[in-house]
Amino acid sequence: MTVRPFHHGNLRAVLLEQAEILLRAGGADGLSLRELARHAGVSHGAPRSHFIDRQALLDALAVRGFERLTEAVRAALASEASIERRFRAVGHAYVDFAVDDAALMELMFAAKVSDPAADVEQAAGRLFATLDAAMADASAGAPGADDRDRFKLLFAATMQGTATLIASRRVSRDQGDAIVDDAVDVLLGSPLAHRAVPRR
């Protein structure tokens, strides 16, 4: 096993990178501070200088995942102009992340649901605020917050379901891409979308 050399100042980043490798290999259940220390080639106490316990490590991984997904969504939004194209781009970015980082995605939303730490809640909030940007239209009146929240949850659930179909090999990646495009067309044509995402 080759571990990247580190200096004192970047030990936390190295530990998180190694923790992601362990997470992909064995899921969250197999991740412990002791195993992380062994895998990273440091003393058993070294991880505790950055993560007080295992839950703090899991929360830090969840925050890292939310930040990475938020950046992917922002990049998708920046590349497209129309609301339809923005949602397709965001949908593809979301599904790509959920397929390529399935264990991290599962950890992120598990951490958010079960009594989330403040930093996890804030990181998840930034993701949903970024999704709000995809729904923005300068010419539109302000839709009800409830409709917007329902639409965001429906959109995320649909993309997560598509990612699950791809990850379980029930559909191919190409079929999944087509499902994303079709789902966006259906979602944006719904009465809920016309209330939550008003357009010209």
Side-chain angles (χ1 to χ4, degrees), residues 56-117:
L57 171 63
L58 296 178
D59 288 344
L61 282 172
V63 168
R64 184 177 164 109
F66 277 117
E67 288 173 346
R68 193 180 302 157
L69 180 54
T70 299
E71 285 308 308
V73 169
R74 283 181 181 147
L77 288 175
S79 67
E80 301 295 350
S82 73
I83 193 79
E84 291 82 3
R85 292 175 68 89
R86 286 204 304 270
F87 267 96
R88 285 195 190 97
V90 169
H92 287 292
Y94 189 104
V95 169
D96 287 345
F97 183 93
V99 172
D100 296 337
D101 281 299
L104 182 57
M105 180 71 106
E106 182 178 350
L107 171 65
M108 287 157 53
F109 285 95
K112 180 183 181 302
V113 168
S114 55
D115 192 22

Side-chain angles (χ1 to χ4, degrees), residues 33-194:
L33 293 178
R34 181 175 290 272
E35 178 63 14
L36 175 59
R38 188 192 68 76
H39 190 78
V42 298
S43 69
H44 328 240
R48 288 190 182 275
S49 63
H50 295 280
F51 311 108
I52 192 169
D53 56 19
R54 178 177 178 275
Q55 188 58 52
L57 171 63
L58 296 178
D59 288 344
L61 282 172
V63 168
R64 184 177 164 109
F66 277 117
E67 288 173 346
R68 193 180 302 157
L69 180 54
T70 299
E71 285 308 308
V73 169
R74 283 181 181 147
L77 288 175
S79 67
E80 301 295 350
S82 73
I83 193 79
E84 291 82 3
R85 292 175 68 89
R86 286 204 304 270
F87 267 96
R88 285 195 190 97
V90 169
H92 287 292
Y94 189 104
V95 169
D96 287 345
F97 183 93
V99 172
D100 296 337
D101 281 299
L104 182 57
M105 180 71 106
E106 182 178 350
L107 171 65
M108 287 157 53
F109 285 95
K112 180 183 181 302
V113 168
S114 55
D115 192 22
D119 54 350
V120 174
E121 189 73 21
Q122 289 162 8
R126 287 190 291 273
L127 172 62
F128 277 87
T130 303
L131 286 172
D132 257 338
M135 301 165 72
D137 186 292
S139 70
D146 183 58
D147 286 337
R148 288 173 74 86
D149 286 345
R150 285 175 58 199
F151 185 85
K152 283 184 290 185
L153 287 171
L154 180 59
F155 178 82
T158 303
M159 296 307 123
Q160 186 64 44
T162 303
T164 299
L165 289 174
I166 297 169
S168 63
R169 299 184 180 178
R170 282 179 278 176
V171 301
S172 69
R173 197 73 178 246
D174 286 346
Q175 287 174 313
D177 287 342
I179 290 170
V180 169
D181 291 339
D182 291 343
V184 168
D185 288 343
V186 170
L187 290 173
L188 288 178
S190 69
L192 176 61
H194 283 284

